Amino acid sequence: MRYLLDAHPQIVAPAELNLPALLRHAAETWHRAHEMQVTSDPGAQERGAGQPGAEPAESLGTPLSADSLRWAARIVSEVMSDLAQTAGASVFVDKSLVTADQLPVVASCYPKASYVFLYRYPLDMIASGIEASRWGFNAFGFAPYIGAAPGNFVSGLGNYWIDKVSRMLAFESTATVAHARIYYELLCDDPVTTLSGLLEFLGLPFDNGIVERAFE
């Protein structure tokens, strides 16, 4: 789907940049550098900002502030804007596997963005994951799931699928941001129809050459 969208003349969709993880890290850095300095806990400064083993802000019971989220968005937006300007595109698409884990933070930083959820039949995802992991399961975030089910790769990848899909479905059920759902199988069977609907959702015109350009 990333290749197809990137083939549209008004869209730039680079390879995975893990920008949602950068958002989270930047927001927590701001939190540690600012909010924790004014906490009433006298030992917080010793345990907090910049210290090894310091816990993420939200795990401390303190939500990330609006200021920290704005600062994080400013950093990531600069990356996106530069890439879009270089490509002559008006729309930036980030496709990163880590987005499913950071959806609340991403939506807080970009409430006006459009969110596209891509679902794939679990057994096909498992088969694809095994095929892509011939030299080990360190990529794609598989390692913790494989480690929890040693000797049973299918079970480990199945749990990976369940976890990510559960997060996406939970977000979809409560999200107030604009979002659409795409099924991988339908995209493969009829890319033109699926893309037409997706581009309409994104407010962009359909381009008849998008499929051919994507696979050149």
Side-chain angles (χ1 to χ4, degrees):
M1 188 171 74
R2 182 183 76 79
Y3 280 119
L4 288 165
L5 290 175
D6 192 53
H8 192 284
Q10 295 184 37
I11 297 177
V12 60
E16 292 200 29
L17 301 177
N18 293 327
L19 292 180
L22 175 59
L23 272 178
R24 176 76 184 215
H25 182 69
E28 289 178 348
T29 298
W30 175 275
H31 172 85
R32 291 194 177 105
H34 294 80
E35 278 83 7
M36 290 190 69
Q37 299 302 320
V38 297
T39 180
S40 59
D41 180 355
Q45 291 189 36
E46 296 177 10
R47 297 192 305 271
Q51 297 299 316
E55 296 183 28
E58 291 183 355
S59 69
L60 296 174
T62 305
L64 295 170
S65 70
D67 284 342
S68 69
L69 294 172
R70 277 194 295 269
W71 186 71
R74 199 154 56 235
I75 295 173
V76 171
S77 294
E78 185 173 348
V79 176
M80 295 191 294
S81 298
D82 182 71
L83 290 172
Q85 184 176 3
T86 300
S90 60
V91 175
F92 181 92
V93 172
D94 177 67
K95 178 263 175 184
S96 296
L97 293 176
V98 297
T99 304
D101 302 319
Q102 307 296 344
L103 281 168
V105 172
V106 177
S108 295
C109 289
Y110 295 102
K112 295 182 180 180
S114 298
Y115 295 79
V116 181
F117 294 90
L118 178 64
Y119 292 92
R120 187 178 186 182
Y121 184 64
L123 294 182
D124 286 338
M125 176 266 149
I126 292 170
S128 177
I130 292 175
E131 182 183 12
S133 306
R134 296 178 182 179
W135 307 108
F137 290 89
N138 293 324
F140 313 114
F142 291 160
Y145 300 88
I146 297 298
N152 191 335
F153 300 152
V154 172
S155 176
L157 293 179
N159 287 329
Y160 172 94
W161 185 93
I162 291 171
D163 184 29
K164 304 305 180 184
V165 166
S166 296
R167 292 170 189 251
M168 291 159 62
L169 289 173
F171 184 84
E172 276 196 274
S173 67
T174 59
T176 57
V177 297
H179 59 281
R181 180 183 294 186
I182 299 294
Y183 291 102
Y184 182 86
E185 291 76 20
L186 295 180
L187 178 64
C188 292
D189 288 344
D190 190 355
V192 172
T193 300
T194 304
L195 283 172
S196 296
L198 179 56
L199 290 170
E200 183 180 357
F201 164 72
L202 296 175
L204 295 172
F206 183 74
D207 186 302
N208 290 323
I210 189 171
V211 176
E212 289 73 15
R213 284 197 301 275
F215 291 102
E216 283 181 353

